[in-house]
Amino acid sequence: MMYNTVQKTIMSYDWILQMHGFYVDTDKKEIIFDIIMSFEIETNEGISIIEKEIEKLYPDYKITIVADVDVSD
C-alpha cells in the first residue's frame, strides 16, 4: 500500500521518469527508494520536492532517496 501511494504521488511530476528499489522498514520507520529524473530539473531541487511530498504522507518516517538522471537518448 505504501509503495502505491508513494509511486502515485511522485509519478505525478513529469520530470520523474521512474521509481525503483522501494524498501520500507516499519520498525525503524524508514522509506528508501531510487528515482530517475529527467534533465528538466536540478537533482537537489527534485530530491527536495519529493522528500517534502513523502514527508507529508509519512511524517514519522525517515526518507532516503537516491536520484539518477536519465542519460538515454
Side-chain angles (χ1 to χ4, degrees):
M1 186 170 147
M2 289 176 82
Y3 172 85
N4 290 336
T5 301
V6 170
Q7 183 179 39
K8 182 178 178 180
T9 301
I10 69 171
M11 294 306 291
S12 67
Y13 292 93
D14 59 352
W15 41 267
I16 297 287
L17 304 175
Q18 187 181 63
M19 179 183 87
H20 59 273
F22 189 82
Y23 175 76
V24 175
D25 187 323
T26 54
D27 294 328
K28 292 182 180 179
K29 298 207 176 264
E30 294 179 335
I31 299 173
I32 302 167
F33 58 92
D34 299 349
I35 56 175
I36 297 177
M37 296 187 288
S38 71
F39 287 111
E40 296 175 34
I41 191 165
E42 292 290 326
T43 303
N44 291 339
E45 180 183 2
I47 289 174
S48 178
I49 290 168
I50 297 303
E51 281 178 340
K52 288 176 185 171
E53 289 292 322
I54 304 308
E55 286 171 352
K56 287 180 202 174
L57 296 170
Y58 303 103
D60 296 335
Y61 278 75
K62 177 185 174 199
I63 311 299
T64 302
I65 302 171
V66 177
D68 294 320
V69 178
D70 181 32
V71 293
S72 63
D73 290 326

